[in-house]
Each structure stands twice: as C-alpha cells, then as structure tokens.
Amino acid sequence: MNSVQTRSAERALSGGTWLIVCGAMLYSILTVTPLMAAHTAEAWDWTAPILPLVVDAAVVIVVKLDDVLARLGGQGGRWPIVLRWMTGLMTLALNTADSALKKDLVGVAVHSVAPLLLIVTAETSLAYRRAIAAAVAAQEQQERAERERREQAARERAERARAEAREEREHAAMLAREQREHEAVLAREQAEREERAARKERAARERAEQAERAERERREREREQREQERLTRERQARERAEAERRERAEQAERERREREERAARERAALLNRGPAVGKLPEGEARRIVAAAFASDMSVRSAAELCGWSVGWVSARYAEHRSPSTRGAELAIASQ
C-alpha cells in the first residue's frame, strides 16, 4: 500500500469517526436536554443543554487528541483512557436515565445504542490509527533501509571509479614529471635570466603599489572624516527631534491633567449641590449620575442628588459599566 492509499484510509477513518461522534452528540443533546429541564429549577430551564454539551465537548477532546497521539506514535497514559471511558459512561447514563427512571427497558436499549456506538468507535478508531501508524512506520523504515542500500552501492561504484581515475592520474603525473625534469635542465638558465628581469620589474611594481596604497589611505581618511561629520549631523538632528517630541509629550500631559482637573471640579460642583428638592430635568440628572458613577458613589446617594428613582439611576449606572455586565445590572434594576 502506498502513501496515497494510506492517507485515503486515514481520511475515511477520521471522517467516519467524526460523523459518528457528531451524530451521537446531536442525539445526546436532544435526549438529555428534556431530562435536565425536568430536573432543573424552572427559572434555570435554559441551562438544560449545558451538561450534555460539556460531556460531548470532552468526547470531542478525547477523540481529537487520540487522533494526534496516534499519528505521532505516542501514548497519553492512563488519564486519557479514564477520561474516554468516563465520558462514554456519562453519555450512556444520561441518555438512558429517563427511560430507566420510567422502567422502560425498550427505551433504555434504544437510547443506549448511540453512546455504546460512540464508546466502541472511539476505542476502535484509536486502535486503527495506532495500527496504521505502526504499519506506516515499518514501511518507512523498510524504504529507508532500501534507500541506504542503494546509496551504499552507489558510493562503492563511485569509489571504484575514483580509484581508477586516481591510478590514471598518477601514471600521467609520472610521465609528466619525467618530462618536466628533462625540460628543467634546459629551462634553468633561461629562468635565471628571467628572474633577474623579474626582480627589476617587482621593484618597480612595489614602488607603484606603495604610492597607490598611500593615495588609497588618504582617500579612506577623507571618507571616514566625511562619514563622521554626517553621523554628527544625524545625531544632532535626532537630538533635536527627541527634544521636540518630549516637549509635545509634556504639552499633551499638561493638557490632559488640566482636562482631568476641570472634569473633577465639574463633578465636585454637581455632587456638592445637596439632595434635589424635586425631580431634576433628565439631562441634568444624567450628568449628576455620571459624576456620581465616576466618584464610586452609591446608587441611593445618586438618586437623592438627582431626585429620580433608584431603578432609573441603576439603569444609568449599568450604561456606564462594561457591556458584559450591562444586562445583569438591567435585570437587577428591573427587580
């Protein structure tokens, strides 16, 4: 079996497993929700689907992590087994509890089909994934061993070819060496004459190189001086920009402090007015409530300052709080 067929089998196994898990989750939610609603306070009927969702979420976690561990060839230990069986047994108990309480054996048998199928599917899919992972690992090891044998054979052939080429090169080198030794005697006198001419040429070239090196060093010093001047200008520009930025930041901080002080004075003026004689206009009452909320004043005290009801002031407090708590505050105010 090649890798394409293995991946196809894994996709079929994964798809079937998740289809069974999703079907069992939907069936469990539809079955357990009425039971939880019947055994929950009437005001909390809306929480009935939470328990089956939590149990089914644990099932999804177990199936997904078992899939990952099986692909990696790892073992999760005893706790994943405990969680897998515990969630399966919980699902079975919750699905058959209603029929068991009614002593309906047929209902117990019918409602136990999906949980039992979920438990067996989770265990079977885990075993299949581990078997597929082991088979794939064995196949990869076999392919790796075969590839190493081919590479070893190729290295041996290359080594033989290199040995033959080395022998040929050594034979050619021996012939060339004999030829060079024969020619060296004839060329030595010519070389000596050429050496004298070369020494003169080298002396002239060295003098030219010294002059060129001196000129290059002079240009390098000038370039370094220009670079130093450029860096100095850039540093001065950065220092000026930093000073301007600090000045803008200080100006903004002063303006912010002035706004905060002005807002504090306005709140203090609103809160120091004393209890209202009557019901103030809504705009003025809203400003008083906002100032009271910013000063952590109680709802009743704010109601006394603006002359409006405690419920109305509580609703305004809820508007000033975060959106996540606004609904709860409105519910409390309505009670």
Side-chain angles (χ1 to χ4, degrees), residues 221-240:
R221 285 193 299 271
E222 292 177 353
R223 187 189 63 79
E224 291 177 354
Q225 184 177 1
R226 289 193 300 272
E227 182 67 19
Q228 185 65 31
E229 292 175 354
R230 185 184 62 81
L231 292 176
T232 302
R233 289 193 299 272
E234 291 179 355
R235 184 172 61 255
Q236 293 174 352
R238 286 195 300 269
E239 291 175 353
R240 287 194 298 272

Side-chain angles (χ1 to χ4, degrees), residues 165-177:
R166 186 169 55 251
E167 291 177 356
E168 293 179 357
R169 286 196 302 271
E170 290 176 353
H171 180 68
M174 183 183 64
L175 296 177
R177 186 170 55 253

